[in-house]
Amino acid sequence: MSHALTPLPRRAAALAPVLPAVAVMVLLALPVTPGGAEPADVVSGLMVVYCVIRLLRDRRRPLSPSAALVLGLPVVGLTLAAMGASSPTAGLTGLGRYLQVFVLVPAAVLLLIRDRADFQVLAWSFVGLALWQGAIGVHQYVTRTGASYQGADIRAVGTFGAQDVMGMASAVALGLVCATGIALSRACVRERAVAAGCALALLPPLAVSFSRGAWIATAVTITVQLVLTGLRRALRTAAAVAAAGVVLVGGFGVGTTLLQQRIDSIAQVTDAPDQSVIDRYTLWASATGMWRQHPLTGVGLKGFPEYRDGHATLALSSGAEIAGAGVTYRRQALLSPHNMYLLVLSEQGLIGLLTLAGGWLALLVRGLRRRHRDRGPGGDAALVACGLLIWLLTDFMYGDIGGPSTVLIGMCLGLAAWWALTGDKKADVLPRAGVPERAEEALAR
C-alpha cells in the first residue's frame, strides 16, 4: 500500500511551481467585491514575487534574449505614456496596471511552466473556471437573477457582477477555446472526449452572455483551430457543431427572441445600429481624434476620460445602464473606447501601439511557425496557446482592459509566450555546488 501512495506526493511536488498560477484562476471564481482589492490581482502579484524567488534560489538564467525583447518591448511605450500623463498618480497607476497585465504576469507564467504537463494543468484550469462561471451564468439566465438586458434580468454575468458584464463572457470563451484545443489535440481518447463535452457545455452560457464581441472572437478562433488540424477534420467538426447548435436552439429552446435579435444586430451595425453601437462608434472617433493631436506618444496613460468629451459628438449617450445581479439601477460613465488598439493609440500613440501590439504579433507569428514545424504530440499545445492569443487579438477590437477579469489577459499571454518562446524545451539551470541536478528532474526519471 505504501508503494501505491508514494507517487501522490511526488506528483504534487512536481506540480508545485505552477500552482501559484492555478491559484490565480481559482480566485477568479470568487464573487467580486465592489471597490475592494481583487484576490486574483493580489495573488498574481505574489506569483511574480514567487517566480523571482525561484529564479534566485535555483540560479536559473533569466528570459532568453528573444523572450526578453518581446515581453519587455511594451515598457518603452508605457514609460513614455506614463511621463505624459495628466498627473503623476494617473501615470504611476496606469503604468503599474499595464506592466502587471502585459509584462510581469505573462513573464511569470512563462517561467513557471516547465513542460507540457504544466501547460495542460493551466489549460484545464481555464476550462474549470469557465464551467463554474458558465453554470452560475445559466442559473442567472433561467432564474432571471442576472444583469439587466432590455428590461429583463437575464444577462449571464457569473460572479463578476453587472459592473463587469464582459467578465463571464471572457472567462467562458477562453475556457471554450482551451477545451476545443484539447479536444482537437492528440491527447488520449478519454481526455479529448471530456474536453469535447466541456466545449459543448460552454456554448449555452456563452450564448446567454449576450456578448457580441465574445461570440465573434470565439467563432474566429475555433475556425482557425480547426483549420490548423486539417481541412477534412475541420469540415467534420464544423458539421458536428452545426448539428449541436440545431439541437440546442430547436430542441432545448436556447434561441430566444432576444438572443436572435442580438445575433441579427451583428449584421445591422451600419443599417440600424442600436445605442450601444452608436456609443462605440462615437468613442472610437474620439480616440482617433486624440491620436491625431498627439500621434507619437498619445495623451498619456488614463487620459482618455479627460479628453473624451473634447473629441466626442453629441451622439454619445450619458453612460451605460447597469442593474440586476444584486446591483441597483445606475448609469456608468463610458470611460474607454471599448477597443484595445484605439485605447493604446489614443493614450500611448504610435510608439505605444507598435511596441505593445508588435509584441503580440511576434508571439502569434512565432507560435504559428512553431506549430508548423512541430507536428508531434507536443505541438498540440499550439492549438490552445495560439487559440488564446487569436481570441484576445480579435476581442481587442470590441473591448479593452478593465475590471476584475483583466488578469485573465496576462494569464493567456503567458501561455502563448511559453509556447512561442520556449515550447517544451527545458529551462536552463545553473548548477549548484554539490547538487548535480534539480529535484524535479530526478523525480521525472
Side-chain angles (χ1 to χ4, degrees):
M1 182 177 296
S2 61
H3 293 289
L5 294 176
T6 49
L8 293 178
R10 289 183 179 181
R11 193 171 302 174
L15 292 176
V18 80
L19 290 182
V22 176
V24 175
M25 303 300 297
V26 172
L27 291 175
L28 282 168
L30 298 179
V32 172
T33 304
E38 297 304 326
D41 283 326
V42 175
V43 173
S44 70
L46 295 177
M47 178 182 67
V48 174
V49 175
Y50 170 77
C51 182
V52 173
I53 294 175
R54 279 188 59 87
L55 289 175
L56 296 175
R57 187 196 68 183
D58 297 339
R59 299 184 183 180
R60 292 181 60 182
R61 293 172 183 170
L63 298 170
S64 65
S66 58
L69 176 62
V70 172
L71 294 179
L73 194 60
V75 177
V76 178
L78 291 173
T79 303
L80 292 175
M83 294 172 61
S86 58
S87 67
T89 301
L92 290 176
T93 303
L95 179 63
R97 187 58 162 169
Y98 272 95
L99 288 178
Q100 174 205 9
V101 175
F102 296 110
V103 179
L104 298 178
V105 170
V109 173
L110 182 152
L111 291 169
L112 291 177
I113 297 177
R114 298 155 303 163
D115 50 32
R116 190 167 176 266
D118 287 350
F119 184 94
Q120 285 181 309
V121 170
L122 268 182
W124 277 109
S125 70
F126 270 88
V127 178
L129 174 65
L131 291 172
W132 170 254
Q133 293 289 352
I136 296 176
V138 170
H139 179 267
Q140 292 171 334
Y141 174 78
V142 173
T143 60
R144 291 178 174 267
T145 56
S148 178
Y149 179 74
Q150 295 192 6
D153 295 341
I154 59 173
R155 187 167 191 173
V157 292
T159 64
F160 294 102
Q163 300 92 335
D164 186 11
V165 294
M166 290 296 298
M168 191 217 73
S170 299
V172 170
L174 292 170
L176 177 57
V177 168
C178 290
T180 303
I182 297 172
L184 295 174
S185 70
R186 300 179 185 179
C188 66
V189 176
R190 183 178 180 180
E191 185 176 5
R192 285 189 282 123
V194 172
C198 292
L200 291 177
L202 290 173
L203 291 176
L206 180 61
V208 295
S209 70
F210 294 99
S211 174
R212 292 172 294 198
W215 294 347
I216 295 172
T218 304
V220 170
T221 303
I222 293 179
T223 300
V224 174
Q225 287 178 312
L226 289 171
V227 171
L228 289 175
T229 63
L231 186 57
R232 290 184 180 180
R233 192 176 186 183
L235 293 175
R236 290 197 303 267
T237 307
V241 171
V246 172
V247 172
L248 287 172
V249 174
F252 297 100
V254 174
T256 63
T257 302
L258 289 177
L259 183 59
Q260 186 62 46
Q261 292 176 353
R262 191 68 165 174
I263 295 174
D264 294 340
S265 68
I266 296 176
Q268 296 174 350
V269 292
T270 56
D271 297 333
D274 56 28
Q275 185 59 46
S276 65
V277 176
I278 294 175
D279 286 340
R280 184 161 300 184
Y281 284 166
T282 305
L283 291 169
W284 289 0
S286 181
T288 55
M290 298 178 198
W291 167 66
R292 291 192 185 97
Q293 288 191 353
H294 306 84
L296 290 181
T297 58
V299 297
L301 292 181
K302 290 187 172 292
F304 183 87
E306 181 180 350
Y307 289 84
R308 182 200 64 180
D309 292 340
H311 297 84
T313 65
L314 296 177
L316 183 65
S317 65
S318 59
E321 297 180 345
I322 292 180
V327 177
T328 57
Y329 175 84
R330 63 184 178 87
R331 296 190 68 86
Q332 180 172 284
L334 302 173
L335 303 178
S336 70
H338 295 284
N339 182 303
M340 189 65 202
Y341 304 108
L342 291 179
L343 176 63
V344 174
L345 191 64
S346 62
E347 293 188 345
Q348 303 178 39
L350 279 175
I351 296 177
L353 183 64
L354 291 176
T355 54
L356 196 59
W360 303 336
L361 183 60
L363 288 179
L364 182 59
V365 172
R366 288 178 66 97
L368 291 175
R369 288 180 60 187
R370 185 171 176 81
R371 162 67 184 175
H372 180 72
R373 293 195 308 265
D374 191 349
R375 295 291 183 177
D380 292 326
L383 296 176
V384 174
C386 294
L388 291 173
L389 187 55
I390 291 171
W391 191 92
L392 286 179
L393 296 182
T394 306
D395 185 70
F396 279 165
M397 293 188 290
Y398 307 95
D400 47 47
I401 62 173
S405 61
T406 301
V407 71
L408 274 173
I409 298 175
M411 302 298 293
C412 291
L413 291 174
L415 287 173
W418 175 83
W419 169 253
L421 301 174
T422 64
D424 284 323
K425 297 178 181 178
K426 294 291 183 181
D428 293 329
V429 180
L430 294 178
R432 297 181 184 177
V435 181
E437 58 187 1
R438 288 186 300 170
E440 292 91 341
E441 294 175 350
L443 289 173
R445 293 183 178 179

